[in-house]
Amino acid sequence: MSSQQIKMDSSTLFSTPLFFSFLTFLLAPMAVSGANSNHFAEYIGAQFRGVKFSDVPINSSVNFHYICSFTIDYSVATTPPTPTNGEFGVFWDTENLSPDAVSAIKQNYSNVKVAVSLGGATVNDYTVYFNATSVDSWVSNAVSSLTSIIQEYNLDGIDIDYESFSDANDTNTFTECIGQLITTLKNNGVISFASIAPYADPTVQSMYEALWAKYSSVIDYVNFQFYGYGADTTVDQYVQYYDEQVSNYPGGNVLASFTTGNTTESGVISADTGLSACKELKSENKLYGIFIWSADDSLSQGFTYEIQSQALLAS
């Protein structure tokens, strides 16, 4: 980058947009990527196993986010489901995770917020894609439909978890749709935070890194799916992968993660390895936070890993 010498009188300087942008930069809180924090997030409701918010032990010393999974811009009235260009509908266990349940858990725990995740990998066992007719129409539909859902359920934020794309080369449409959506919902006071949930796949990374390059200022957390690496991943390798993703999302609050699902069957990193890696990251002062996929799987396990993870973050 080359530097330019700019000469102007003080009255001109203090009235320019450049000055106010610089002042905003100086006053804005700086994200400290990788530094220890007490942030914990739990995905919930995607597998319809009857788990309730109140089932999950909540440590009062952590910043706790539930992430309801999912809301989808697909219609399930057809087989296979068909895209609806940003017209989102609820597709999580609303019988147990209802608006009243959201209000109750937030009332009982002042450290709890609740978000909703957009997209997901499949709907009714069919792969679903990010599929926008146009940026303007998708954003308009998404802002309207999501605002209604967020207000009905008293939610605080959104998470972006698209994993497949109708055009794997079109990073611009994804970037503008998601970036403008988050920006508009924040500007309208509908949400207070947003996260993204990429994983180590070239197409997925190209989409989310392009989004990050332009709209990182409105994205609060990177919920990276570290459990997607191979089952033979060691703790040292996990830490190396974590460092790589911190570099891929510079300045981002990158969360470590693991799954409590059947890792033997799916061939991903075990919860024990994931938790051990979190302990190592904590010892190196770079554990920003932890998220777990998911409460549905943990229900039958007594939430052992949730308890241990929160205790680690709170210590």
Side-chain angles (χ1 to χ4, degrees):
M1 179 182 296
S2 61
S3 61
Q4 285 183 309
Q5 186 176 26
I6 301 174
K7 185 177 180 180
M8 58 181 68
D9 62 52
S10 60
S11 61
T12 303
L13 171 63
F14 291 111
S15 64
T16 60
L18 177 62
F19 171 75
F20 288 106
S21 296
F22 180 65
L23 183 62
T24 300
F25 170 78
L26 288 178
L27 296 177
M30 297 298 289
V32 182
S33 178
N36 284 345
S37 171
N38 68 339
H39 185 76
F40 178 80
E42 177 95 51
Y43 287 81
I44 188 169
Q47 293 150 295
F48 292 82
R49 293 180 179 167
V51 65
K52 300 178 175 64
F53 296 122
S54 56
D55 290 332
V56 184
I58 297 172
N59 188 317
S60 61
S61 296
V62 303
N63 177 42
F64 194 112
H65 284 185
Y66 282 108
I67 305 176
C68 296
S69 310
F70 292 93
T71 181
I72 56 172
D73 57 335
Y74 265 75
S75 170
V76 295
T78 61
T79 302
T82 51
T84 55
N85 191 42
E87 291 280 0
F88 282 88
V90 171
F91 198 66
W92 73 78
D93 183 2
T94 56
E95 181 177 346
N96 292 291
L97 308 173
S98 63
D100 286 344
V102 173
S103 296
I105 199 67
K106 290 170 64 174
Q107 184 175 5
N108 291 337
Y109 295 92
S110 60
N111 60 319
V112 168
K113 293 183 179 180
V114 184
V116 61
S117 188
L118 282 58
T122 63
V123 172
N124 291 344
D125 296 325
Y126 289 92
T127 299
V128 292
Y129 301 85
F130 175 80
N131 192 335
T133 302
S134 71
V135 171
D136 289 345
S137 63
W138 190 94
V139 171
S140 177
N141 291 337
V143 167
S144 176
S145 57
L146 287 170
T147 297
S148 295
I149 292 170
I150 290 164
Q151 292 178 342
E152 177 185 359
Y153 280 83
N154 189 24
L155 304 177
D156 304 288
I158 63 171
D159 173 69
I160 309 301
D161 188 27
Y162 283 101
E163 302 188 6
S164 299
F165 306 87
S166 59
D167 185 345
N169 297 311
D170 184 8
T171 60
N172 183 69
T173 297
F174 179 73
T175 293
E176 291 306 320
C177 283
I178 300 303
Q180 291 183 33
L181 170 65
I182 295 172
T183 301
T184 303
L185 291 177
K186 281 193 167 186
N187 287 345
N188 291 349
V190 177
I191 62 172
S192 59
F193 65 88
S195 58
I196 57 175
Y199 61 95
D201 170 87
T203 299
V204 170
Q205 287 281 65
S206 69
M207 294 290 176
Y208 284 92
E209 288 179 16
L211 171 64
W212 184 261
K214 186 166 184 180
Y215 287 101
S216 61
S217 62
V218 296
I219 300 169
D220 301 280
Y221 310 101
V222 180
N223 295 353
F224 199 87
Q225 300 179 48
F226 288 102
Y227 46 85
Y229 289 102
D232 59 350
T233 299
T234 66
V235 169
D236 287 345
Q237 288 172 327
Y238 188 115
V239 172
Q240 179 183 343
Y241 294 145
Y242 181 86
D243 291 340
E244 289 175 2
Q245 299 311 326
V246 167
S247 297
N248 287 336
Y249 299 92
N253 297 320
V254 179
L255 274 63
S257 63
F258 55 87
T259 177
T260 54
N262 189 336
T263 57
T264 301
E265 182 178 293
S266 55
V268 300
I269 294 174
S270 71
D272 286 327
T273 299
L275 183 58
S276 294
C278 290
K279 292 176 181 177
E280 176 59 29
L281 290 167
K282 173 90 171 184
S283 73
E284 297 180 17
N285 192 34
K286 55 188 182 185
L287 179 64
Y288 180 80
I290 300 171
F291 84 79
I292 293 178
W293 174 274
S294 67
D296 301 56
D297 288 316
S298 299
L299 179 62
S300 63
Q301 305 168 16
F303 301 100
T304 299
Y305 292 100
E306 283 79 359
I307 294 170
Q308 294 181 70
S309 295
Q310 291 178 75
L312 176 64
L313 293 168
S315 63

